[in-house]
Amino acid sequence: MKRKITINDIARDLNISKTTISFVLNGKGAEKGISESSQTRILDHVKKISYMPNFSAQGLRTGKTKTICMMVEDIADPFFSSIARAMEEIAYMKGYKILYSSTENNTQKAKDLIQFYRRRQVDGYILAPPPGIEEDINELIDDNLAVVLFDRTLIGIEADNVLVDNFDISYKAVKHLIENGYRNIAMITLYSEQIQMTERERGYKEAVDEIKNTYFIKNIGFYDHPASNVQEIQRFIDLNNNIDAVFFTTNYLAEMGLEAIRNLKLRIPEDLGIVVFDDDKLFRLFSPTITAIAQPIGEISEHVIKLMLMLLSGKGVKKAKKSIVLPAILQIRESSRPKSD
Amino acid sequence: MKRKITINDIARDLNISKTTISFVLNGKGAEKGISESSQTRILDHVKKISYMPNFSAQGLRTGKTKTICMMVEDIADPFFSSIARAMEEIAYMKGYKILYSSTENNTQKAKDLIQFYRRRQVDGYILAPPPGIEEDINELIDDNLAVVLFDRTLIGIEADNVLVDNFDISYKAVKHLIENGYRNIAMITLYSEQIQMTERERGYKEAVDEIKNTYFIKNIGFYDHPASNVQEIQRFIDLNNNIDAVFFTTNYLAEMGLEAIRNLKLRIPEDLGIVVFDDDKLFRLFSPTITAIAQPIGEISEHVIKLMLMLLSGKGVKKAKKSIVLPAILQIRESSRPKSD
DNA sequence: GTCGGTTTATAAACCGTTTTAGTAACCAAT
DNA sequence: ATTGGTTACTAAAACGGTTTATAAACCGAC
């Protein structure tokens, strides 16, 4: 096994102290008054033997790990995995590595993960937080760690965050159904007090209020058994057979809903108009194509990572926390086309 | 800012040497003959002040980072993100963290990433390798790092690997089309010499050979502009209008293909039967539902991570490398239903 | 009572960096 | 010839653990 090259080897080879080498490698050559000749000598040699500083040693000495963690509900969900992909790209260019984890929206799991990451001395936390971890997050902030929230916030937490205007786009989505002639519009959503969900519900209600109709709301348990959820949705649609459109507040629910609708042999949109929160790249290929709310993945990722890098660079630490609200886009497709009757 | 608690603080508080504490915390209490009373005293105190060892310090001293990296084509691809999710779960329980990266199947990007990870002293490498990095991988192996390949292998590399029987399932998929009355079956695939792709092609050819028909093969550039790829596929199907079925060798190609078919206003499966390599959770909800080859995600993940942990534990390092080949499943749905004419 | 073995514990070295606190050498000015 | 100020560089401490080598205390046996 090859022995690892260390800075001491270079010092010996070049007969220069390791202090000097460290200065040069960290770009402090000029500042520390290291001669040009020494600098090039060092840099050339380092390149030649392709030396790489030991990361653990650097981390130990500086207290920084150049590592950011990102905790989301489910990293395999297309919304989150696309965000992850976009952030990774930007972070990598800045020398940072992102660690991903799925919380399943489970409070205890999230708490455990935060402990795990603290132990690993990650520098920053990007979180789509589950409920009930306000305290843990505030602890992070108290300990001067960089925290950025996205997708949702928690009350009582002062942290930079990036959100989508859930209320506005939900309102527009339901309004769109109404304008296309749908009247008895149901909402299928999760049991959840989380702000992104309550805002979506508020948007739905506001639009339904405008036509003075009643709400048809079905709540589904979060990570329950999918098969029974399909059953539940199916029963709900079947019992409320005056419903002529459904607004699904997550794509996960829409997936189950589409199965329920298929089981009931209902036609989309003749029997039931459909709008889904969160687009999927296959929705535009369905027959009929599915109308969906597309969150601006690229923008969200950029804002989040920019805020994070700013915090990590030390700027903005003492500044007032920013809350960025981005608009989403309603991708109108065939599943919500104007009613013909 | 709270100062971090270190092992020295505990030593001072308890008036016990840090050596003893380290032994106890690493479970070597018995082996090193530390009395029960000291052990409980240490463990209780550690729990009380919720001490956590500094990860960088441990990494520096032991040379281990308890970190595994995983490099795949695109971490946002549902196949890879599902695998990632499954592996993360298992690794976490063993105290390992997985770092994910997307290579975009780009040789240079993969080389850069490997360098990046070496600098971070990751303990193990889980790779779905792009072409042309044989040398880099062999270097890893020479340096005694744990390497497991999956999804594909590279010739000239001696590493544990987990594959799906691409040939067999592709053969079965095309055979299935034939049995359902399709005769002029096209394959739409990537320009690629990678083994998983050549095996899929071999399966297609073998099945087509059995009915002594000609091949209809369209190759698509890898990460080209998607819109022009759709055009290309469209033209291919249009020109070869005797084709009655298509076998897509990746779901990424199928996505473009479905768009092309939609543009051509062809009916599935009346005008064109469809089989896709790699299932998508929405395929069973399409109208018509899409026949797809489902790779055994759970099994793949389990085997890969098990091999990796074995290597990391030191067992099996000197053993002959294992090559595990798993069967895939053909999910038969409506898009390949028997021809009625 | 001292020798050898066991039990229990620890001091000090070590991992590979960064950073602090200095210093040697040179020059210009007094 | 001494002082003061640069310039160019470095020895040693520090980061927080793990591991090696060693030792004190106690015990029973000769």
Side-chain angles (χ1 to χ4, degrees), chain B residues 94-341:
Chain B
K94 301 283 181 180
Y96 280 89
K97 183 65 205 163
I98 302 186
L99 305 177
Y100 305 99
S101 293
S102 307
T103 63
E104 288 159 31
N105 227 30
N106 174 322
T107 306
Q108 191 53 49
K109 191 162 184 216
K111 282 173 185 255
D112 291 350
L113 281 168
I114 288 181
Q115 287 312 306
F116 180 79
Y117 285 125
R118 297 210 66 165
R119 183 161 136 45
R120 286 196 167 235
Q121 270 89 29
V122 310
D123 300 335
Y125 293 77
I126 294 174
L127 309 170
I133 61 161
E134 291 81 355
E135 225 175 279
D136 307 69
I137 295 181
N138 275 327
E139 236 171 69
L140 294 176
I141 298 174
D142 286 348
D143 290 351
N144 258 1
L145 291 160
V147 175
V148 176
L149 307 182
F150 79 105
D151 190 54
R152 54 193 93 160
T153 48
L154 296 172
I155 43 177
I157 289 188
E158 277 279 315
D160 290 299
N161 59 76
V162 178
L163 299 173
V164 151
D165 193 338
N166 285 286
F167 166 76
D168 179 67
I169 195 68
S170 299
Y171 168 79
K172 281 182 181 148
V174 177
K175 182 93 177 174
H176 157 73
L177 285 169
I178 292 168
E179 282 166 354
N180 278 358
Y182 299 90
R183 281 297 168 269
N184 296 313
I185 301 167
M187 173 174 80
I188 296 185
T189 188
L190 299 170
Y191 284 112
S192 169
E193 295 303 316
Q194 294 189 91
I195 195 149
Q196 80 278 19
M197 286 302 154
T198 57
E199 285 294 287
R200 290 173 198 183
E201 180 162 345
R202 205 160 64 79
Y204 162 80
K205 286 181 172 173
E206 176 106 354
V208 172
D209 283 349
E210 286 184 4
I211 55 167
K212 303 199 192 324
N213 208 332
T214 47
Y215 309 141
F216 297 89
I217 298 180
K218 174 69 187 164
N219 289 291
I220 298 293
F222 195 69
Y223 266 92
D224 287 3
H225 192 45
S228 71
N229 286 343
V230 172
Q231 291 299 317
E232 262 192 79
I233 294 174
Q234 199 167 325
R235 208 170 314 127
F236 169 75
I237 295 174
D238 206 20
L239 287 174
N240 298 273
N241 56 8
N242 53 333
I243 291 171
D244 60 2
V246 182
F247 169 44
F248 292 100
T249 62
T250 80
N251 55 1
Y252 161 82
L253 290 168
E255 192 193 327
M256 302 187 301
L258 288 170
E259 189 170 351
I261 291 167
R262 165 179 296 268
N263 293 344
L264 289 167
K265 307 215 189 312
L266 295 174
R267 292 162 305 161
I268 300 171
E270 292 79 1
D271 300 325
L272 214 52
I274 298 284
V275 175
V276 179
F277 205 108
D278 273 338
D279 203 3
D280 187 291
K281 63 183 169 25
L282 293 182
F283 279 165
R284 68 189 174 85
L285 299 172
F286 263 70
S287 312
T289 55
I290 308 282
T291 298
I293 292 169
Q295 301 201 52
I297 304 229
E299 269 186 87
I300 295 174
S301 311
E302 246 172 75
H303 276 105
V304 168
I305 201 79
K306 208 178 285 178
L307 282 172
M308 175 52 69
L309 292 172
M310 199 133 110
L311 287 175
L312 290 174
S313 75
K315 289 169 215 156
V317 177
K318 291 286 158 216
K319 276 198 208 148
K321 299 306 178 188
K322 268 194 201 168
S323 189
I324 297 174
V325 177
L326 302 170
I329 292 168
L330 183 64
Q331 298 283 7
I332 297 175
R333 303 203 182 95
E334 297 163 2
S335 71
S336 60
R337 120 185 110 215
K339 281 194 100 164
S340 48
D341 56 14

Side-chain angles (χ1 to χ4, degrees), chain B residues 4-15:
Chain B
K4 274 261 124 207
I5 300 166
T6 76
I7 199 170
N8 293 302
D9 298 327
I10 303 178
R12 190 171 17 72
D13 291 354
L14 257 44
N15 202 24

Side-chain angles (χ1 to χ4, degrees), chain A residues 155-222:
Chain A
I155 44 178
I157 289 189
E158 278 278 317
D160 289 299
N161 59 77
V162 177
L163 299 173
V164 152
D165 193 339
N166 284 286
F167 167 75
D168 181 66
I169 195 67
S170 298
Y171 169 79
K172 282 181 179 149
V174 177
K175 182 96 176 173
H176 156 74
L177 285 170
I178 292 168
E179 283 166 353
N180 277 358
Y182 299 90
R183 280 298 168 271
N184 296 314
I185 301 168
M187 176 174 80
I188 296 185
T189 189
L190 298 170
Y191 285 112
S192 169
E193 295 304 315
Q194 293 190 91
I195 195 150
Q196 80 279 18
M197 286 302 154
T198 58
E199 285 295 286
R200 290 174 198 184
E201 178 161 347
R202 204 160 65 78
Y204 162 82
K205 286 181 171 172
E206 176 106 354
V208 172
D209 283 347
E210 286 184 4
I211 55 167
K212 304 199 193 322
N213 207 334
T214 47
Y215 308 140
F216 297 90
I217 299 179
K218 174 67 188 164
N219 290 290
I220 298 292
F222 195 70

Side-chain angles (χ1 to χ4, degrees), chain A residues 210-316:
Chain A
E210 286 184 4
I211 55 167
K212 304 199 193 322
N213 207 334
T214 47
Y215 308 140
F216 297 90
I217 299 179
K218 174 67 188 164
N219 290 290
I220 298 292
F222 195 70
Y223 267 91
D224 286 5
H225 191 45
S228 70
N229 287 342
V230 171
Q231 290 299 318
E232 264 193 77
I233 294 173
Q234 199 168 323
R235 208 170 313 127
F236 169 76
I237 295 174
D238 206 21
L239 288 174
N240 298 273
N241 56 6
N242 52 333
I243 291 171
D244 60 0
V246 181
F247 170 43
F248 291 100
T249 63
T250 80
N251 56 3
Y252 161 81
L253 291 168
E255 193 193 325
M256 302 187 301
L258 288 170
E259 189 171 350
I261 292 166
R262 164 179 297 268
N263 292 344
L264 289 166
K265 305 215 188 314
L266 294 173
R267 291 162 307 160
I268 301 171
E270 293 79 2
D271 300 323
L272 214 52
I274 297 284
V275 175
V276 179
F277 206 107
D278 275 337
D279 202 3
D280 187 292
K281 64 181 171 20
L282 293 182
F283 279 165
R284 68 189 175 84
L285 299 172
F286 263 70
S287 311
T289 55
I290 307 281
T291 297
I293 292 169
Q295 301 202 53
I297 303 230
E299 270 186 85
I300 295 173
S301 310
E302 247 173 74
H303 276 105
V304 168
I305 200 81
K306 208 179 284 177
L307 282 172
M308 175 50 71
L309 292 173
M310 198 133 112
L311 287 175
L312 290 175
S313 76
K315 290 169 216 156

